[in-house]
Amino acid sequence: MSVYPRSIIVKDLLAKYCRISGADAPVNPFGSKQWEMQITTEDPAKIKELTDAGLTVKQDKNDPKIHTVNLKRKGIKADGNPNAPVKIVDSQLQPLAGDNIGNGSKVNVNLWQYEYEAPGRSGVATSLTAVQVTELVEYTPSAGFEAVETKPAEEKQLPF
């Protein structure tokens, strides 16, 4: 008997590259509407838990101790209707906007897994359902520049 569909919660992970806020899913570089984020861990037991859940766990190219998993939630369901957004809450289960979740924030994730069959392929899909931010590292967007001190323009007489 199949264990799918099922909901699983994975705790004590670090968040990276969060694009999970808003009622309307952002468009990824490939033109698909989806909410997405990456989770990371160095804990061997957590790596095993993620692997045992059927997730694709990748070793970081720059730091072999760090392992990552890409998570997503499609913005449009297979039937063409909009999908509900990712639920985002804080440690006290209060709603959180999610647009300021920075890299290194500590999170728990709720994932929905289900079997699928499509022409020529079948398997288990994972959809990001909810994120609980237990320790927020605030993301502050910047243009990448430092402030430049300028002198006020001198008033000159116009020649006419």
Side-chain angles (χ1 to χ4, degrees):
M1 185 162 150
S2 175
V3 296
Y4 302 104
R6 69 178 181 178
S7 179
I8 60 171
I9 294 176
V10 187
K11 297 181 176 183
D12 300 323
L13 301 162
L14 296 180
K16 284 180 81 175
Y17 314 123
C18 288
R19 296 184 64 212
I20 58 173
S21 64
D24 191 23
V27 178
N28 71 9
F30 304 105
S32 299
K33 291 181 81 164
Q34 67 183 25
W35 295 276
E36 55 194 1
M37 70 179 293
Q38 192 175 80
I39 52 173
T40 69
T41 187
E42 294 182 15
D43 180 3
K46 195 63 58 182
I47 294 165
K48 181 177 180 350
E49 180 182 354
L50 294 167
T51 303
D52 289 349
L55 300 170
T56 303
V57 180
K58 297 180 182 176
Q59 191 172 33
D60 189 271
K61 293 174 186 160
N62 299 321
D63 187 345
K65 293 183 293 187
I66 297 174
H67 289 72
T68 64
V69 175
N70 294 323
L71 300 174
K72 66 182 179 180
R73 180 176 183 84
K74 293 181 180 182
I76 306 293
K77 294 181 191 178
D79 65 7
N81 290 316
N83 210 350
V86 176
K87 292 178 182 75
I88 308 167
V89 296
D90 65 14
S91 60
Q92 301 302 306
L93 304 179
Q94 297 303 307
L96 196 64
D99 57 353
N100 65 340
I101 301 171
N103 293 348
S105 293
K106 198 170 184 181
V107 298
N108 301 328
V109 294
N110 186 334
L111 307 173
W112 178 251
Q113 294 185 309
Y114 57 95
E115 292 177 314
Y116 72 90
E117 283 191 36
R121 60 191 172 143
S122 63
V124 175
T126 300
S127 180
L128 178 63
T129 304
V131 175
Q132 180 183 32
V133 181
T134 57
E135 290 179 27
L136 179 65
V137 174
E138 194 154 347
Y139 167 72
T140 307
S142 75
F145 299 106
E146 291 181 17
V148 178
E149 197 170 311
T150 60
K151 296 179 184 175
E154 292 179 20
E155 286 192 32
K156 294 184 180 178
Q157 287 286 22
L158 293 175
F160 48 90

